[in-house]
Amino acid sequence: MEFLAAEFFTSLLSIVVIDLVLGGDNAIVIGLAARNLPQHDQKKVILLGTLGAIVIRILTTLIAVWLLKIPGLLLAGGSFLVWMAYRLLTQEKSPDVASSATMWAAIQTIIVADAVMGLDNVLAVAGAAHGSYALVVCGLAISIPIVVWGSTLVIKALNRFPWLIQFGSAVIAYTASTMISDEPFLHSFFTANPLLRWSLAIILITGVLWAGRRKIAQKIKAADKSIA
């Protein structure tokens, strides 16, 4: 992928959107881990914890980008992203992170918790990067600080505008379709039939959004019955 080309910026935007949507709960880790520390230490914890999280996230995503070059893993990864897009619409993540008593313990908690909770982000970003390591570094360097320092705004925006969650799910479903169509033993087929490439994207996006809304409607209906 050519640096600064239109495709580069499109993929970069996808990475930022994916991290903003999937990383809202990861941002809460900062506040939970540092909430009992003195105020003058909290800024240091946020800064050092964020830097550590960025380094770990970049390294794990670079590894994932390399792993996705193995035949068959793009198809598997794309299939998993379809499930992830559906789960984003229907399941709430609730991070359980204990407060730390010391600054260094809080920093360690932030880095470890972000690494564990960010596994879904890693695969989605690796798929959206299409093998470009520059995209991984740029996308994560932009989005992680936004999620961490703007965590309150991100979470409020996601709660106030539900369509942002749906938009994020659609981006992940689209990323899944590109991963599947880029799978080496399927790539020539989709290249020869570009209409099918777009049809796959439309089918996955529509299917995920429809299934998600159907599941939410079922939950609401079940909740109404239990109250009645």
Side-chain angles (χ1 to χ4, degrees):
M1 184 184 302
E2 186 178 348
F3 185 65
L4 298 183
E7 185 182 0
F8 180 91
F9 285 107
T10 301
S11 298
L12 180 60
L13 179 61
S14 295
I15 290 174
V16 173
V17 169
I18 287 169
D19 263 314
L20 289 178
V21 174
L22 290 179
D25 286 335
N26 299 53
I28 303 176
V29 170
I30 299 292
L32 292 177
R35 67 183 183 274
N36 287 338
L37 294 176
Q39 189 171 2
H40 64 273
D41 284 338
Q42 289 181 358
K43 291 183 179 180
K44 295 180 183 178
V45 167
I46 291 175
L47 176 60
L48 296 177
T50 301
L51 290 176
I54 291 174
V55 171
I56 296 298
R57 189 74 68 86
I58 287 176
L59 290 176
T60 53
T61 308
L62 291 178
I63 293 172
V65 169
W66 176 76
L67 288 175
L68 288 177
K69 295 180 180 179
I70 299 176
L73 288 188
L74 273 177
L75 177 60
S79 301
F80 179 73
L81 281 190
V82 173
W83 165 249
M84 185 190 303
Y86 168 76
R87 189 185 64 178
L88 177 62
L89 291 173
T90 60
Q91 181 177 329
E92 295 181 359
K93 293 191 294 181
S94 53
D96 183 15
V97 180
S99 176
S100 301
T102 67
M103 184 178 72
W104 291 110
I107 292 172
Q108 185 179 30
T109 299
I110 290 168
I111 294 174
V112 172
D114 183 84
V116 173
M117 294 172 60
L119 291 177
D120 53 356
N121 304 53
V122 166
L123 180 58
V125 169
H130 301 291
S132 171
Y133 296 108
L135 267 173
V136 171
V137 176
C138 290
L140 294 178
I142 292 172
S143 56
I144 293 179
I146 293 175
V147 169
V148 172
W149 283 304
S151 59
T152 302
L153 294 176
V154 170
I155 294 168
K156 284 183 178 179
L158 293 177
N159 289 332
R160 185 174 180 182
F161 305 108
W163 63 266
L164 290 175
I165 298 291
Q166 297 179 18
F167 179 68
S169 293
V171 170
I172 295 173
Y174 173 74
T175 300
S177 74
T178 61
M179 290 175 68
I180 293 172
S181 60
D182 284 342
E183 175 61 47
F185 63 83
L186 296 175
H187 184 67
S188 59
F189 172 77
F190 282 103
T191 300
N193 302 277
L195 183 61
L196 291 181
R197 185 186 185 99
W198 287 107
S199 297
L200 175 63
I202 293 172
I203 289 172
L204 290 183
I205 292 172
T206 304
V208 164
L209 294 178
W210 175 82
R213 290 181 179 179
R214 185 170 181 270
K215 182 66 174 181
I216 292 172
Q218 290 175 346
K219 286 184 177 181
I220 294 174
K221 187 176 181 179
D224 290 341
K225 285 184 178 180
S226 63
I227 294 174

